[in-house]
Structures are given as structure tokens and as C-alpha cells.
Amino acid sequence: MGLAPGILEKMQAAIAAGKLFDQGARILAAVSGGVDSMVLLAALHQLAKPRGWRLTAAHFNHQLRGAASDADERLVRRTARAWKIPVIVGRADVRAEARRQGSSVEMAARALRHQFLARAARQSGSGVIALAHHQDDQVELFFLRLLRGAGSDGLAGMKAKSPSPADPSIYLTRPLLNCAKEELRAFAAARKLAFSEDSTNQSLDIARNRVRERLLPFLRAEFQPNLNQTILRAMDIVGAEGEAAQNGAAEWLQNAAPPWNTLPRAVQRRALQRQLFDLGATADFDLIERLRATAEQPVAVAEGKYVVRDKDGRLRAESGPATEFSGATQLVKLRGTSGSAEFGGLVFAWEKTRGCGADFSAGLNLEQFDADKVGNSIVLRHWQAGDRFQPIGAEAPRKLQDVFTNLKTPRAERRRRVLATTAAGEIFWVQGVRIGEKFKLREQTTRRLVWRWKER
């Protein structure tokens, strides 16, 4: 069985550069039946004998597409048998597991798949699991994470080698990351390699598919035909700079020099992130920024648990009484063209301007609303049980508690967050959350309410 030299050479270069497989390694290849994984299996099969690799194929049947899922399983079994490769097959009812966990089908499928692959690796004695992620997957992932507000770790994308989330003693390897999807398809067509097409890849209900089918073609047509190379270069730059900040934080935590207030912002954030992890706290951006902005002020990380940053940048944990819902409110009249207010430890400044064009030149902690939708009187208060909110982009209002849960906001922190409502009681802004859908700027907007806030 021959293999397109371009793919083979790229794989060999990736394997050597990342030290993905040792001579004589036992390798488990994750094979879905799609073109990417079938090319991966063919490539590893081609390279295995001269390198002494012992190859096993693994297929996980998600049972999401009925007969089509079973057909994928048969294809993998048949191909492995023809190439004399041992195969391990697992299956699970992913939808039932998603309902049990209260998670999305995608999240449940990923968790179950990685658990199966880790078990299969242990069963076959494999220390590495080869995955078929490729160049186009990296680009799609970049935009998915960008739109979710990821930092440099997320935007740097998948690594060629990383620990399995289900068993850190087993490594995931991705020898096809330097190969484009069209290269894999060209090889499969030239060699008449059998593979299956997953119909769920066409569903626009899935965010990744919308990125692939709508966003990326638009960007290539209207802005950058060579999008893959441009984004991959940006990912490499962001990843290297994030690594530099991480190393700077590690060195500072060890030596406590130079002084905290002279550290670059990126290094401060990384130092706080690492300390929060050590304290067992979720290190989200808003929490890190609150700690970075204020010293000797307790910040809630869980019910009855707080962290405090001292003036030298060190965090300490403190405990306190469980917080209750706060009934404090403040009426603010939006008279004239500008004004200010204080509430809940925050200082607000607002301004009304003409037109619908948004201007975010002032940076963080700024939002803009349709002033006429908001009205001339607002109420500042804290979250209350039963509050409902429709974030921008959402089709309908939802419980604010669910919004906080999705954002992984600590319970105690939720009750300290400030929100703003119209005089009629409709929430249009929540601290640390997207603005309200009904209050966003539109072409019909004639006046903007520019809303800024900061810690007192």
C-alpha cells in the first residue's frame, strides 16, 4: 500500500520534531471511520514495520446516528482486519449520559470517548494514543476559542503531544497537525481509501460546523485567502508569548523579584492564576482582574471562601460566613448627558451620545446600550432568586442562575455581582456578563448610553 509522499514526509517530520513515538513503541490509533482517521491509520501502518511499532486501532461507537454509527464500526473492523491490525471497539449511549450529567451531547461524547481510549490504551499496553486532528481543525478551534474569550493557552491550539484528560500517564499525539484537510482527501481519493462521512458535520446547530461552513469561507473570500497559514502563524506567536509569561510568573513566584507592581500585566495574571490553582479555586478572567486591581480586599471564590492579594502579589485564603441575597438597591436618574453613581463597591460613569455607532476605545469595563430602550431611570441592585436575563445573542430569557453556572461564576461571587434594570425591572446589564439582547445598539438607535464602571 503506497502513501502520498507529501503526507508521509510531513508526518515523519512531525513525529521527529515532537518526539511523538519512540522506536518500538506500542501505539493506539483512534479511528472514527472518517477520512482523517483512516489516513492516520494508513500512515501509521505504512511506517510501523521499519520502526518496530506495534499498532492497535480503537473505535468508539457514540450511537448517535443509528445505522450509520454501526456502519462506521464495521468499516473500521473490516479495514483493521484487512491490514492485520488488532482493533478494540467500545460503545455507549452518549445522549443518555448527557441527560444524566446535565451536559451537552458534545461534552458527554468527548468525556466518554477519552475514557474509552484510555482504557483501550491500557488494555493494549500502549503509552500513546494517536489522534487524527489536522491543520483545519486547529484553525476552527482558534475561532471557537476566540469567540469564547480564551486566553493565550486556548488560542495557541492543540499541541502535538499532551497528556490524556482521562489518564495523564498516557499521552495523546497528533502527527497530522501540519496536514491540511484537502491533502488528506486527495490522498484518500488517489488511493481509493474507504472512509465514511459523518452527517452531523453538516449540522449548523453545532458551533464548530458554523465556523467551518459559514465563518471561514467568508473570511477566505472577503479578507484572507491564505487564512490557514495566517492563523497558524498567529497561534504560534500567541502560544510562545503565553509561554514566556508563564515562565516569567514561575520565576517570580520562586524568587519574589522584581517587585509586584513592576511586573508586566501578563506576568501578574499568570502569577495569580497559578496561585489560584494551588488554592483550588477556578481562575477566571474577572476573578484574576479583581485580585490584580485591589490589594487586601477579600474576593469570594466559593460559598464562605475568599482569597486576598497582599501588596506583594501573594494570595492567601480566608473563610467567612456564607453570604445571603442582598436586598440593597439604588435608583439612578439618567438626567442630562452624563453622570455617575456608586453601588456595591463599584463606581459608575454614564454618558448619552447621539448615533448608533459603538466606540470601545476606552477599553475594558465599558458597555453601550440603546439609551431610549434603557429609559431615564434605572435601578442598581444585586442578583435575586428568580431573576431572568436574556444575554445578547440568546433567543429567550433564561434564569440568571443558569447564566452564572455556565460561566462557572462561584456561588458567593454571584451574590456580589451588581446588575442594572430598567424602571420596569427588566435587566439590561450584569457585571461580568454580556449585555441584554433587547438593549443592544441597532441601526435604528438614535442615542447611545455609554456605561463605564470600576472597582471603588
Side-chain angles (χ1 to χ4, degrees):
M1 178 181 59
L3 190 65
I7 297 250
L8 184 58
E9 290 167 1
K10 286 186 175 184
M11 280 194 62
Q12 289 175 309
I15 290 167
K19 299 180 180 179
L20 305 187
F21 309 119
D22 296 328
Q23 188 79 12
R26 289 180 179 268
I27 302 170
L28 184 78
V31 188
S32 67
V35 62
D36 318 329
S37 65
M38 298 306 283
V39 170
L40 172 69
L41 187 63
L44 292 174
H45 181 60
Q46 177 82 10
L47 297 171
K49 188 173 181 180
R51 291 161 179 78
W53 294 341
R54 283 169 287 183
L55 183 63
T56 301
H59 175 79
F60 184 66
N61 187 335
H62 298 84
Q63 298 182 324
L64 291 171
R65 295 177 292 119
S69 292
D70 295 336
D72 292 347
E73 180 181 326
R74 289 194 296 273
L75 170 63
V76 174
R77 287 184 183 275
R78 186 168 60 248
T79 303
R81 185 168 56 248
W83 294 350
K84 296 180 172 57
I85 300 172
V87 61
I88 300 173
V89 173
R91 55 172 54 207
D93 188 337
V94 171
R95 284 196 178 89
E97 181 65 14
R99 287 193 298 270
R100 190 185 70 80
Q101 294 181 355
S103 67
S104 68
V105 170
E106 291 80 7
M107 289 179 63
R110 182 179 186 276
L112 290 170
R113 183 169 60 251
H114 278 295
Q115 290 165 14
F116 159 72
L117 290 173
R119 289 196 303 271
R122 291 191 292 268
Q123 179 181 333
S124 63
S126 303
V128 289
I129 301 170
L131 304 179
H133 294 121
H134 50 78
Q135 189 182 99
D136 294 68
D137 289 329
Q138 282 281 58
V139 174
E140 292 166 13
L141 184 63
F142 173 84
F143 283 100
L144 282 170
R145 290 179 172 176
L146 177 69
L147 295 171
R148 292 170 185 161
S152 58
D153 287 345
L155 296 179
M158 295 175 284
K159 297 184 183 299
K161 188 174 184 178
S162 60
S164 163
D167 186 343
S169 69
I170 299 170
Y171 279 87
L172 307 179
T173 62
R174 301 175 176 89
L176 292 177
L177 280 183
N178 291 332
C179 301
K181 180 84 167 186
E182 62 184 16
E183 294 179 275
L184 305 181
R185 286 193 171 277
F187 160 70
R191 303 296 173 178
K192 296 183 173 56
L193 186 65
F195 62 90
S196 61
E197 294 282 4
D198 187 342
S199 60
T200 62
N201 288 336
Q202 306 305 314
S203 171
L204 295 182
D205 292 335
I206 300 172
R208 179 182 282 273
N209 295 346
R210 293 198 298 276
V211 168
R212 181 190 308 121
E213 300 297 332
R214 290 183 174 177
L215 178 60
L216 298 186
F218 173 75
L219 293 176
R220 290 187 178 105
E222 299 293 333
F223 293 95
Q224 176 53 268
N226 196 25
L227 187 67
N228 274 24
Q229 295 307 315
T230 300
I231 296 302
L232 291 170
R233 182 170 63 245
M235 293 173 75
D236 184 59
I237 293 170
V238 168
E241 292 178 352
E243 186 177 347
Q246 187 76 280
N247 292 339
E251 183 177 350
W252 181 84
L253 287 168
Q254 182 175 354
N255 301 318
W260 171 259
N261 58 7
T262 68
L263 290 177
R265 187 183 308 174
V267 176
Q268 288 183 340
R269 287 171 174 160
R270 290 287 186 157
L272 292 173
Q273 181 187 55
R274 289 184 61 143
Q275 293 181 83
L276 285 167
F277 285 155
D278 290 342
L279 293 172
T282 301
D284 64 48
F285 179 80
D286 289 334
L287 173 58
I288 289 172
E289 286 304 283
R290 290 192 66 183
L291 290 167
R292 204 175 62 79
T294 57
E296 302 298 346
Q297 294 292 321
V299 176
V301 294
E303 190 72 18
K305 296 182 180 180
Y306 301 83
V307 291
V308 179
R309 175 181 69 81
D310 67 22
K311 60 182 179 58
D312 296 320
R314 299 290 178 169
L315 297 185
R316 66 179 185 270
E318 293 186 354
S319 60
T323 55
E324 302 295 337
F325 284 108
S326 170
T329 64
Q330 181 171 323
L331 177 67
V332 178
K333 299 284 188 179
L334 303 181
R335 296 192 179 99
T337 58
S338 63
S340 62
E342 292 188 22
F343 181 80
L346 300 180
V347 178
F348 300 93
W350 58 270
E351 179 184 3
K352 292 181 181 178
T353 63
R354 305 295 299 179
C356 63
D359 176 14
F360 293 95
S361 58
L364 295 175
N365 293 352
L366 180 149
E367 297 289 1
Q368 300 188 52
F369 307 91
D370 185 315
D372 294 314
K373 295 279 187 182
V374 172
N376 294 322
S377 296
I378 65 171
V379 175
L380 298 175
R381 62 174 178 84
H382 296 283
W383 170 49
Q384 295 292 325
D387 275 339
R388 299 184 70 82
F389 177 57
Q390 183 178 3
I392 188 170
E395 295 181 356
R398 61 186 69 165
K399 290 182 179 179
L400 187 51
Q401 176 177 332
D402 294 340
V403 175
F404 282 139
T405 299
N406 290 338
L407 293 173
K408 299 180 180 179
T409 306
R411 289 183 179 274
E413 176 64 19
R414 301 173 192 182
R415 301 182 187 187
R416 298 183 72 242
R417 294 286 177 92
V418 177
L419 58 84
T421 77
T422 65
E426 189 168 10
I427 300 172
F428 67 88
W429 173 78
V430 181
Q431 181 186 357
V433 182
R434 294 170 293 172
I435 69 172
E437 168 68 23
K438 295 182 181 179
F439 303 91
K440 67 184 181 182
L441 300 180
R442 295 175 169 82
E443 291 184 4
Q444 300 86 355
T445 299
T446 59
R447 294 190 305 158
R448 285 183 291 135
L449 173 64
V450 182
W451 182 257
R452 296 179 177 86
W453 69 97
K454 64 180 181 179
E455 299 275 349
R456 184 184 302 159

